[in-house]
Amino acid sequence: MPETIAAMADRPGLRILRADLISLRGRPMPPLAWPRWLRWLPHSLVCFAAALTAAAAAGTTAPILAAGHAAMLVVALRRPASAWWLSMAFITGITVGYPPTHDTQIYVWMVHAGVLFLFALRVRLVSAITAAVLSTLLAVVLKLSGCTVGSWTVVTGALALFALALLIGAVVRGRREDHARLTEQIAATARERALRTVLEERTRIARELHDVVAHHLSLISIQADAAPYRVQAPPAALITELASIRANALEGLAELRQMLGLLRSNGPGDSTTGTSPQPSLAQLDGLLGNVRAAGLRTTTRIEGAARHLPPGVELSAYRIIQEALSNVLRHAPGAKASIELTYARDALLLRIVNGPAALPAAPSPGAGHGVIGMRERVAMLGGELAVGPTPDGGYEVSAALPACPAPVPEPAATVTVAVAVADKESCI
């Protein structure tokens, strides 16, 4: 039996009633949001009404109880639940021990209706309805028990006051909550607009950096690489210095690409301050294990000697494979997929092909950004991307990511300047 009672007390509706009706914590009535100079007007009006009611009830048989009952209006400004319970107690004490006169009977019910109104302003509707029902039951019980609460006309008028207080309080509270939600939505919209503006500006800066800085760094690298061939028998110190300039320019290009990737992050969840390392092709086996666990059958083929590639190339290759396999899972359930990696001398070639879907695909919520992201990654590295359906009903993603070998200082050789420049242009 105790377990049953405890289970009933944990129901959501009972938890709400317990939190609203049996609570000692304060629920201050908020001031008006506008106009600012009238923000405390409702509180002043309640205090004024309490003073008038106490003065009007001074001629009762228990003026101290009547004044204390009127003071519950002021208490309800901060602790509505406590004020409502105390008002019920004052009504019982006044009508049982010190019956009010015929002229002051209505003030007892008016004060309680005011307390009920202030209570309905701060609690949920179910709690306000429960309080109104309990107040009604109290009035009916006191009348049926013979207490001096007025005629049935007075009691009926009091019940009408309770219903009116409940209705007005619930409407005002609902409008205040709607206004708060609207204000929050407007603030969220403003934050989203500001974030979108920041992202657009970051994308514009990324484009400008790519168009200006990358171009000049590429020219510096090419000129430093070709300079030794323009001088007959250049000193070794000069060759070393030019090779250092070329290496610094290539390093600057690599850092620029990384910064562009940070600037072009296009979502509030894209963190640029994470401490976990970025994925690379070394984690490809883990990625394939995850998609196989999800039901995608995959095969992998690697051609050429695998080697360490620049971080940007490794990351872009991993993300392209990841997005392509995710698309297969979403749009071609039951299909097989094959991944081919070819390590060429100055590039990494990717080819992800899947067959036709063996099961009907779930409806897509709209156009995604997967292919757009692939194109941006490949374009950032100066590579090429090709996507499209295959003749057998599948889909293919092919990418060529430039991956020049690490620059090493080379002494003057018998190659021509044109060859050196052409080779450099193919890798930038």
Side-chain angles (χ1 to χ4, degrees):
M1 188 65 178
E3 292 79 3
T4 304
I5 296 176
M8 293 177 61
D10 285 337
R11 292 180 179 178
L14 294 179
R15 285 200 300 268
I16 292 175
L17 293 179
R18 186 170 64 248
D20 290 342
L21 294 178
I22 310 175
S23 174
L24 296 178
R25 67 185 183 91
R27 294 175 182 263
M29 189 171 74
L32 291 177
W34 186 88
R36 299 286 296 178
W37 60 280
L38 290 178
R39 60 196 313 259
W40 298 110
L41 178 62
H43 303 71
S44 302
L45 291 178
V46 170
C47 295
F48 183 68
L52 285 182
T53 305
T60 62
T61 56
I64 297 179
L65 284 178
H69 190 206
M72 292 303 101
L73 290 171
V74 180
V75 175
L77 290 175
R78 185 169 184 83
R79 299 183 181 274
S82 302
W84 176 74
W85 284 110
L86 289 174
S87 178
M88 298 267 284
F90 273 112
I91 290 175
T92 304
I94 290 173
T95 57
V96 173
Y98 304 92
T101 63
H102 181 272
D103 295 333
T104 58
Q105 288 172 349
I106 189 63
Y107 291 107
V108 176
W109 303 114
M110 289 178 61
V111 170
H112 190 69
V115 173
L116 186 60
F117 166 72
L118 295 174
F119 181 76
L121 284 178
R122 258 80 57 75
V123 298
R124 284 156 283 200
L125 182 59
V126 62
S127 301
I129 293 175
T130 302
V133 171
L134 292 177
S135 300
T136 301
L137 290 177
L138 176 64
V140 173
V141 169
L142 290 176
K143 177 61 180 176
L144 293 177
S145 63
C147 296
T148 307
V149 294
S151 63
W152 279 109
T153 302
V154 174
V155 174
T156 303
L159 302 185
L161 283 176
F162 295 166
L164 184 62
L166 174 64
L167 176 63
I168 297 177
V171 170
V172 173
R173 182 175 184 272
R175 286 178 60 85
R176 187 173 68 241
E177 290 180 347
D178 292 341
H179 181 268
R181 283 193 293 266
L182 179 60
T183 302
E184 183 179 356
Q185 184 178 2
I186 292 175
T189 303
R191 289 193 297 269
E192 290 292 334
R193 187 182 299 113
L195 178 60
R196 186 168 59 250
T197 302
V198 171
L199 294 177
E200 290 175 355
E201 182 67 13
R202 286 166 59 178
T203 303
R204 184 185 66 82
I205 294 172
R207 293 196 190 100
E208 292 180 353
L209 286 173
H210 181 271
D211 293 342
V212 178
V213 182
H215 172 71
H216 290 292
L217 285 177
S218 298
L219 287 179
I220 293 173
S221 175
I222 293 173
Q223 290 173 350
D225 195 22
Y229 304 102
R230 298 178 178 272
V231 181
Q232 292 183 356
L238 177 61
I239 296 176
T240 303
E241 188 67 24
L242 291 174
S244 176
I245 293 174
R246 177 174 177 267
N248 289 333
L250 292 177
E251 182 180 356
L253 275 175
E255 293 180 357
L256 176 63
R257 288 168 180 166
Q258 182 180 6
M259 183 174 62
L260 291 179
L262 297 178
L263 289 175
R264 298 184 68 176
S265 60
N266 56 358
D270 294 340
S271 173
T272 62
T273 60
T275 57
S276 59
Q278 293 285 3
S280 64
L281 292 178
Q283 285 80 40
L284 184 59
D285 291 338
L287 173 63
L288 297 179
N290 291 335
V291 297
R292 285 167 183 158
L296 178 60
R297 294 169 292 174
T298 61
T299 59
T300 307
R301 188 177 68 179
I302 300 177
E303 296 184 358
R307 67 179 186 274
H308 179 71
L309 301 174
V313 176
E314 295 258 354
L315 173 61
S316 296
Y318 181 91
R319 293 302 188 195
I320 291 172
I321 296 174
Q322 182 183 46
E323 183 61 34
L325 296 179
S326 299
N327 288 339
V328 176
L329 287 171
R330 283 194 298 265
H331 305 298
K336 296 181 181 180
S338 62
I339 302 101
E340 298 179 7
L341 284 79
T342 303
Y343 287 86
R345 188 186 68 86
D346 56 358
L348 174 66
L349 307 180
L350 302 176
R351 186 169 181 264
I352 304 96
V353 183
N354 65 272
L359 300 172
S364 176
H369 301 280
V371 176
I372 297 177
M374 293 183 194
R375 293 190 186 280
E376 288 185 349
R377 289 185 179 277
V378 174
M380 183 177 65
L381 297 175
E384 297 179 357
L385 177 74
V387 297
T390 58
D392 62 350
Y395 205 80
E396 177 179 350
V397 176
S398 300
L401 306 179
C404 294
V408 293
E410 295 181 357
T414 57
V415 294
T416 62
V417 174
V419 172
V421 174
D423 181 70
K424 183 58 189 170
E425 288 177 346
S426 66
C427 297
I428 295 298

